[in-house]
Amino acid sequence: MSIMKRSSVLLLTIIAFVFCSVCSANAQMPISLGGISIGMSYQSVIAMFGKPNKIYDKKSLNGKLWSRYIEYGDTVQIKFSYDGGVLSGVENVFVTANNGWKLPNGIGVGSNINEIRKLYGSGECHSKGRYGDYWDF
């Protein structure tokens, strides 16, 4: 994997973790990625962006619906959770290219790690993955 692609995947991972961590840590702080907020309903996302290119559900080991993924193009994946078999809100938003989707503070794929650290602190690498390191901020 090229250094550029590896760096992009690393930053994507950082953005996804920052997005999820900030949303869960401070529900009063308005945050979104591409206009999508954690907890936003499936219907609201479809109303905002239209029919996705791809939709698929995943089940738990006992066969119950666990999560739904929708994709827009090759660069946006949105994960929804199920609660008691009922489709719940947005759980994660993954963006894999510099396609204009950014956090309200301007952080997006391709942002410099120093910019991210300036806004969110030094962070902590909690695991190493196939495409890069996973950080919590």
Side-chain angles (χ1 to χ4, degrees), residues 99-114:
N99 59 8
W101 284 47
K102 296 184 183 292
L103 296 172
N105 60 14
I107 297 295
V109 173
S111 293
N112 182 291
I113 188 69
N114 293 325

Side-chain angles (χ1 to χ4, degrees), residues 32-77:
S32 64
L33 182 61
I36 298 175
S37 300
I38 296 294
M40 182 180 271
S41 74
Y42 179 79
Q43 294 80 6
S44 295
V45 172
I46 300 301
M48 185 182 289
F49 292 100
K51 183 180 176 185
N53 298 51
K54 189 174 183 182
I55 303 171
Y56 55 98
D57 288 324
K58 295 213 174 179
K59 294 182 178 181
S60 63
L61 293 176
N62 65 5
K64 293 185 179 179
L65 287 172
W66 183 258
S67 56
R68 171 170 288 178
Y69 294 83
I70 64 173
E71 296 179 2
Y72 290 98
D74 295 330
T75 64
V76 176
Q77 180 189 71

Side-chain angles (χ1 to χ4, degrees), residues 121-133:
S122 61
E124 179 182 321
C125 181
H126 66 84
S127 65
K128 297 189 180 287
R130 179 177 174 189
Y131 300 110
D133 298 343

